[in-house]
Amino acid sequence: MNEERGTRDDQRAQADPSSGLGTPDGHQARPALGHDGSAPGTAGARGPGGTGGTDGAAAAGQRPAKKRSKSRSWWIELPILLVFALVLALIIKTFVVQAFFIPSSSMENTLEIGDKVLVNKMVYDFRAIHRGDIVVFNGEGSWDPMTSQTAPPLTRLWNSIIGLFGTAPGVHDYIKRVIGIPGDHVACCNAQGQITVNGVPLREKSYLYPGNAPSTIRFSVTVPPGRLWVMGDHRNVSYDSRGHQALPGNGTVPENKVVGRAFVIVAPVSRWRVLSIPATFQQPRLAQAAGSAGPAGPAALPVLSAPVASAVPLGSGLVVAIPLTWLQLRLRRRLAGSQRGSRPPPRPRSWRRRDPHRPGRG
């Protein structure tokens, strides 16, 4: 009887494998798994990481949208960064350093036509103007008549932007060397044909144009308070204080019209050099003579003030370098982000369910 029942059960199991009664060997029958571990008919229903095919398509559709939003934000931020850089450059030009082109030969061979110099506008906030300084000054009201008309705001803004690359058009700016400071007695010439300052002769061979005499025009001027006596290094062609003696101030220019001190030639590259004060203006006798003159005494010590003067361009450079470096880093990060967004996403690895009966690595 038992044997017969067993035979019927085996036959019923073979006829209906889904009945769950088991197999002849005593194990329950299981449906065959696909190569990825899923049941037949469900292959591909789940993607890598358990994400369904529909979710994967939605994620793929979101990638172009994210890429477009990144691109739009970049093109919105780029003009903002450019405007910020322009405003920063205008602030630096107005208060710290400005570039000037040399338009004439009055300062040859120290400065040649086409040279580009940087002018430090902050140096005279820390020290007085020294003899031997090469200064840029505005001649309006001294050498040139006052301009009564004021340019429109847009014209002034445009001139300021152009001035970032050199002297703005229509500005009465001159560049000369300071020979006498307030209280100095400047005269030409002694028995040797030299210009004297407070009776001390100047040895000008290091900067005077070759073949030029110190001056062919005779003069004897005591520089008024708050004014300067300036001359070009190419004396035969320079229309400087000597040629304006008929004007108020006897050809001198106001100190408050000085834009700044030219301290370096930056272009062309072959002409690059620092514009230092010649040694003749640092003679001990010149400083002593100025000290005995009274008002000129404190400003007649270029050697003592030189460390302060040299630190001003360095400090200005740091002030300029910090925000520009920050701006450069921002631009680099944005460019790197846009390049990463333009690359195609990496292909996902195909995940396979490990067969429990397949021998693995120990």
Side-chain angles (χ1 to χ4, degrees), residues 292-343:
S292 63
L301 300 172
V303 178
L304 296 178
S305 301
V308 177
S310 60
V312 172
L314 179 60
S316 304
L318 290 175
V319 171
V320 175
I322 291 172
L324 289 182
T325 303
W326 175 83
L327 180 61
Q328 185 181 18
L329 289 174
R330 289 277 296 174
L331 289 173
R332 284 183 177 178
R333 288 173 182 173
R334 283 292 177 182
L335 288 174
S338 62
Q339 289 175 358
R340 284 196 299 268
S342 63
R343 293 176 184 171

Side-chain angles (χ1 to χ4, degrees), residues 1 36 52 77 81 90 94 112 122 129 142 148 173 183-184 186 209 246 251 272 285 308 324 333-334 336 361:
M1 190 69 178
D36 59 349
E77 188 166 352
L81 292 175
L90 289 175
T94 303
E112 296 183 354
M122 297 179 62
I129 299 173
S142 56
S148 57
D173 290 329
D184 281 349
V186 186
Y209 187 83
W272 187 94
R285 286 192 305 155
V308 177
L324 289 182
R333 288 173 182 173
R334 283 292 177 182
R361 296 180 182 177

Side-chain angles (χ1 to χ4, degrees), residues 175-205:
I175 184 165
K176 302 291 179 185
R177 189 182 298 276
V178 176
I179 304 298
I181 57 178
D184 281 349
H185 178 253
V186 186
C188 176
C189 294
N190 63 6
Q192 289 74 35
Q194 297 171 307
I195 291 176
T196 62
V197 178
N198 300 324
V200 180
L202 300 180
R203 300 183 293 271
E204 301 184 282
K205 185 178 179 180

Side-chain angles (χ1 to χ4, degrees), residues 17-303:
S18 61
S19 63
L21 296 177
T23 57
D25 57 357
H27 293 285
Q28 186 179 0
R30 296 180 182 178
L33 300 177
H35 68 277
D36 59 349
S38 59
T42 62
R46 298 176 64 86
T51 304
T54 306
D55 296 340
Q62 290 176 357
R63 291 194 194 102
K66 290 182 179 179
K67 182 179 177 182
R68 285 195 299 270
S69 63
K70 286 184 178 180
S71 178
R72 281 196 299 268
S73 65
W74 163 245
W75 287 111
I76 291 172
E77 188 166 352
L78 180 60
I80 296 175
L81 292 175
L82 292 177
V83 171
F84 173 77
L86 179 61
V87 171
L88 181 63
L90 289 175
I91 293 174
I92 293 169
K93 166 189 170 291
T94 303
F95 299 105
V96 185
V97 176
Q98 183 175 356
F100 284 85
F101 284 107
I102 305 304
S104 70
S105 58
S106 65
M107 283 295 293
E108 290 179 344
N109 282 334
T110 305
L111 301 174
E112 296 183 354
I113 297 175
D115 283 355
K116 189 175 185 179
V117 298
L118 292 184
V119 173
N120 187 339
K121 293 186 170 185
M122 297 179 62
V123 62
Y124 296 133
D125 293 331
F126 298 91
R127 71 162 174 87
I129 299 173
H130 293 160
R131 305 181 197 92
D133 282 350
I134 298 175
V135 297
V136 173
F137 62 93
N138 190 301
E140 192 173 358
S142 56
W143 290 5
D144 299 326
M146 289 291 296
T147 302
S148 57
Q149 296 180 353
T150 303
L154 290 178
T155 303
R156 293 200 302 270
L157 177 61
W158 177 247
N159 290 340
S160 298
I161 295 174
I162 294 177
L164 294 173
F165 308 97
T167 306
V171 179
H172 305 275
D173 290 329
Y174 298 89
I175 184 165
K176 302 291 179 185
R177 189 182 298 276
V178 176
I179 304 298
I181 57 178
D184 281 349
H185 178 253
V186 186
C188 176
C189 294
N190 63 6
Q192 289 74 35
Q194 297 171 307
I195 291 176
T196 62
V197 178
N198 300 324
V200 180
L202 300 180
R203 300 183 293 271
E204 301 184 282
K205 185 178 179 180
S206 63
Y207 58 86
L208 198 63
Y209 187 83
N212 279 190
S215 180
T216 57
I217 302 173
R218 297 271 176 177
F219 59 89
S220 179
V221 175
T222 298
V223 182
R227 302 184 75 90
L228 305 168
W229 180 270
V230 296
M231 300 174 69
D233 290 352
H234 195 172
R235 301 287 165 78
N236 288 356
V237 300
S238 178
Y239 191 52
D240 46 38
S241 290
R242 298 169 299 167
H244 296 85
Q245 293 186 72
L247 299 175
N250 292 337
T252 59
V253 298
E255 285 184 303
N256 59 10
K257 289 290 186 177
V258 173
V259 176
R261 174 179 179 257
F263 65 95
V264 65
I265 303 173
V266 293
V269 178
S270 59
R271 293 271 303 156
W272 187 94
R273 70 185 184 94
V274 176
L275 301 172
S276 57
I277 298 177
T280 188
F281 293 100
Q282 301 179 15
Q283 299 180 69
R285 286 192 305 155
L286 187 61
Q288 292 171 3
S292 63
L301 300 172
V303 178

Side-chain angles (χ1 to χ4, degrees), residues 33-37 352-360:
L33 300 177
H35 68 277
D36 59 349
R352 294 186 179 182
R353 184 173 178 178
R354 190 169 179 179
D355 187 351
H357 298 289
R358 184 177 177 182

